């Protein structure tokens, strides 16, 4: 259990490093690392995908695995949804306060459950609908605060809030595709489809709007790519090492990282309504995740008991 918690905390820290540097390169007017160039979000996705693809392809070649995997239709869906989700998320990191953009992305577990109920006929309980309502109210609080006074002096931009929610929906689709693939594919084959699809698309996009890296910016871009791989590996090992209900709540420590770094580094002082909204979103998602995992554990326990009873009889 402790091992799983350590892994999920390390994953959250790695994701924080990624989001922090993406925010830094999208809003370079800061005192922490002065004189940085401003990078468009699609170029950050390109460099992130390049590093991830090189690492993943090397592992696949070393292990002698087929690059394109087996269930290519679902792999394509996972890669496309993940690519779009990350690209949109990187844009929201540029357009919204770090804490708000990160919080909207944390809606993805809610959409994962709702989409699973349609794709796999998974039953959604009243508690899960209630937790979704709590998270939605949190988004409403954030949106109302943006309309009334903006975020830390920024203009209200409900369009990018909507795009943040769309990113969470696409992440939910990607997570469901992963659950469909886990029986037929190696983890590294699932991982490689994202950068493999993102590289040509963002590469073409970069031809029209490319910022050539200089000096320390090369190191920052490499850091984004490497920490993406670290975050994915740690998160996977966390959920393999312990029960989902135990480790999932620790995943949302990342929202605290985002809130504090946005406050102290990027001078993003959120109003009370936004803080309430962030808390509601995180509370709703944690409640839904823990309840769902608890139900799954209960069913598995009942199945074991029924099997033992059959053997004994």
């Amino acid at each position: 259990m402790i091992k799983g918690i350590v892994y999920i905390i390390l994953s959250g820290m790695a994701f924080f490093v990624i989001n922090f540097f993406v925010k830094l390169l999208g809003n370079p007017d800061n005192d922490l690392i002065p004189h940085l160039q401003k990078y468009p979000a699609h170029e950050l996705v390109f460099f992130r995908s390049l590093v991830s693809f090189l690492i993943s392809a090397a592992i696949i070649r070393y292990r002698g695995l087929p690059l394109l995997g087996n269930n290519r239709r679902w792999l394509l869906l996972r890669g496309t949804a993940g690519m779009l989700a990350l690209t949109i998320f990187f844009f929201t990191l540029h357009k919204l306060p770090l804490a708000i953009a990160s919080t909207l992305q944390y809606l993805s577990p809610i959409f994962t459950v709702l989409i699973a109920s349609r794709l796999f006929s998974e039953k959604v309980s009243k508690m899960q609908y209630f937790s979704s309502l709590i998270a939605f109210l949190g988004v409403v609080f954030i949106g109302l605060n943006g309309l009334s006074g903006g975020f830390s002096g920024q203009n209200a931009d409900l369009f990018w809030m909507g795009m943040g929610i769309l990113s969470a929906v696409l992440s939910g689709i990607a997570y469901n595709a992963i659950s469909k693939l886990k029986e037929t594919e190696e983890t590294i084959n699932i991982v490689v489809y994202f950068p493999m699809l993102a590289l040509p698309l963002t590469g073409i996009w970069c031809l029209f709007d490319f910022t050539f890296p200089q000096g320390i910016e090369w190191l920052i871009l490499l850091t984004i790519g490497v920490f993406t791989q670290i975050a994915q590996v740690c998160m996977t090992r966390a959920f393999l090492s312990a029960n989902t209900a135990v480790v999932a709540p620790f995943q949302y420590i990342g929202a605290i990282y985002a809130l504090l770094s946005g406050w102290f580094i990027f001078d993003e002082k959120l109003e009370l309504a936004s803080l309430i909204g962030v808390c509601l979103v995180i509370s709703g998602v944690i409640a839904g995740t823990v309840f769902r995992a608890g139900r799954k554990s209960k069913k598995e326990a009942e199945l074991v008991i029924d099997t033992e009873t059959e053997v004994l009889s």
Side-chain angles (χ1 to χ4, degrees), residues 121-138:
S121 300
E122 184 175 312
K123 187 177 180 182
V124 181
S125 67
K126 292 181 179 178
M127 177 60 186
Q128 287 172 310
Y129 278 120
F130 180 67
S131 64
S132 300
L133 178 61
I134 293 174
F136 176 75
L137 286 175

Side-chain angles (χ1 to χ4, degrees), residues 17-43:
V17 171
I18 297 164
N19 298 344
F20 171 78
F21 281 120
V22 169
K23 181 75 174 178
L24 203 65
L25 292 177
N27 301 270
D29 296 330
N30 66 88
D31 297 326
L32 186 63
I33 307 179
H35 310 303
L36 291 176
Q37 299 180 93
K38 184 173 183 178
Y39 285 76
H42 57 270
E43 186 173 342

Side-chain angles (χ1 to χ4, degrees), residues 20-287:
F20 171 78
F21 281 120
V22 169
K23 181 75 174 178
L24 203 65
L25 292 177
N27 301 270
D29 296 330
N30 66 88
D31 297 326
L32 186 63
I33 307 179
H35 310 303
L36 291 176
Q37 299 180 93
K38 184 173 183 178
Y39 285 76
H42 57 270
E43 186 173 342
L44 296 176
V45 175
F46 171 79
F47 278 108
R48 178 261 189 213
S49 301
L50 178 62
V51 175
S52 181
F53 178 77
L54 292 175
I55 294 173
S56 299
I59 294 172
I60 288 173
R61 183 176 180 180
Y62 176 77
R63 296 179 59 185
L65 299 171
L67 180 64
L68 299 180
N70 300 308
N71 194 340
R72 297 176 185 177
R73 184 178 66 175
W74 280 92
L75 283 167
L76 185 62
L77 176 63
R78 184 264 182 255
T80 303
M83 174 189 63
L84 292 173
L86 183 73
T87 303
I88 295 171
F89 176 56
F90 277 13
F91 272 107
T92 61
L93 284 172
H94 289 188
K95 303 295 183 179
L96 296 171
L98 182 59
I100 300 299
S102 299
T103 299
L104 293 176
Q105 182 63 23
Y106 283 133
L107 288 169
S108 57
I110 296 291
F111 292 116
T112 300
V113 173
L114 298 178
I115 293 169
S117 70
R118 299 298 180 184
L119 284 180
F120 309 119
S121 300
E122 184 175 312
K123 187 177 180 182
V124 181
S125 67
K126 292 181 179 178
M127 177 60 186
Q128 287 172 310
Y129 278 120
F130 180 67
S131 64
S132 300
L133 178 61
I134 293 174
F136 176 75
L137 286 175
V139 175
V140 171
F141 265 89
I142 295 170
L144 289 176
N145 184 67
L147 283 175
S148 62
F151 306 114
S152 342
Q154 300 179 23
N155 293 326
D157 201 332
L158 295 185
F159 171 78
W160 285 110
M161 282 191 61
M163 294 301 287
I165 295 172
L166 176 60
S167 174
V169 173
L170 290 167
S171 294
I173 295 173
Y175 294 150
N176 276 287
I178 291 173
S179 68
K180 185 76 174 180
L181 292 164
K182 63 183 179 182
E183 300 297 333
T184 61
E185 307 296 332
E186 295 287 340
T187 301
I188 197 65
N189 284 112
I190 299 174
V191 170
V192 79
Y193 257 76
F194 175 101
M196 191 164 57
L197 292 173
L199 273 175
L201 294 176
T202 55
I204 294 172
W205 197 348
C206 285
L207 293 176
F208 301 95
D209 184 12
F210 185 77
T211 301
F212 195 85
Q214 298 178 0
I216 196 173
E217 294 166 0
W218 285 107
L219 179 60
I220 294 175
L221 292 169
L222 179 63
T223 300
I224 291 173
V226 171
F227 271 81
T228 296
Q229 202 78 0
I230 293 172
Q232 293 292 339
V233 170
C234 288
M235 183 173 64
T236 302
R237 289 184 177 178
F239 286 106
L240 290 175
S241 303
N243 188 282
T244 303
V246 174
V247 300
F250 289 90
Q251 191 174 10
Y252 303 102
I253 293 176
I256 300 174
Y257 299 154
L259 183 63
L260 293 177
S261 63
W263 194 302
F264 290 108
I265 298 174
F266 297 106
D267 197 29
E268 298 174 346
K269 296 178 175 60
L270 302 182
E271 300 294 334
L272 179 61
S274 284
L275 291 173
I276 293 174
V278 168
C279 292
L280 285 173
V281 170
I282 296 172
S283 299
V285 173
I286 290 177

